[in-house]
Amino acid sequence: MNVTMKAPLAILISGRGSNMAALIEAARAEDCPYAVALVASNNPDADGLRIARNAGIATFAHSHKGLEREDFDAIIDRALRKAGVRYVALAGYMRIMSDAFVRGWAGRMLNIHPSLLPKYKGLDTHRRAIEAGDAEGGCSVHLVTPTLDDGEVIAQASIAIVPGDTAETLAARVLKAEHQLYPAALAAYVRGHVGR
Ligand code: GRF
């Protein structure tokens, strides 16, 4: 694919950025339909920002502290529009977003969540799956809507829960699956979405 035809993607992070790194790595493939135009964060100290800079990706960081939700989201929105972004991938972005921001990116913003949605929206997903006696955990890539972790699921990967699993051991196996699932699901979504 000609690099100029790749859809510009922004990745929003708050922390370590391992899913972000997987998306950046996947974007190096010639046939990947997206190119990472910007990594943005509400946390200027996010480890992922350093990873992005080292990979030569433009970054934008602005703390949300002391700002109204709408005002902070407007700052992020301006940075995304200025960078010519067409798709947004949330990757460990620990912010509840305003309805206006979410609506502005409807159908173009995806998230990865570490559970088999609709199970275990919100936090602490692996502990909740183990305590419920579930046979499997996993991860889901979904469209972002104003309701937390509620949008249409476009891809999932299941991981068996084995005897002795803790939230940490399960999280580590699910995270590996996330790094495979997210780039593949995003690429498939962007390909299917072209022209829309
Ligand atoms: C991942 O488990 C992701 O599913 C969840 O937050 C975590 C982010 O990890 N939304 P990382 O920053 O991508 O390493």
Side-chain angles (χ1 to χ4, degrees), residues 156-170:
Q156 285 186 317
S158 302
I159 297 292
I161 295 177
V162 298
D165 251 340
T166 63
E168 289 71 31
T169 59
L170 178 58

Side-chain angles (χ1 to χ4, degrees), residues 71-160:
D71 295 340
F72 174 73
D73 284 354
I75 290 169
I76 295 290
D77 194 69
R78 270 199 297 280
L80 303 186
R81 307 274 173 199
K82 194 172 156 208
V85 163
R86 187 147 174 81
Y87 293 92
V88 178
L90 307 184
Y93 187 58
M94 302 303 285
R95 294 288 303 156
I96 306 272
M97 293 162 290
S98 59
D99 285 7
F101 180 80
V102 174
R103 273 199 303 276
W105 292 96
R108 301 190 188 282
M109 181 155 61
L110 282 75
N111 181 41
I112 185 146
H113 182 73
S115 79
L116 294 172
L117 289 172
K119 283 186 158 186
Y120 313 127
K121 296 173 181 177
L123 298 175
D124 227 0
T125 54
H126 304 302
R127 183 188 57 75
R128 289 154 72 200
I130 291 169
E131 284 180 7
D134 291 358
E136 48 188 26
C139 49
S140 307
V141 176
H142 66 93
L143 285 165
V144 177
T145 61
T147 307
L148 184 69
D149 300 330
D150 194 57
E152 181 191 347
V153 172
I154 64 165
Q156 285 186 317
S158 302
I159 297 292

Side-chain angles (χ1 to χ4, degrees), residues 15-20 91-94 111-114 175 178-179:
R16 89 193 141 180
S18 71
N19 278 289
M20 174 212 73
Y93 187 58
M94 302 303 285
N111 181 41
I112 185 146
H113 182 73
L175 190 64
E178 292 182 36
H179 298 163

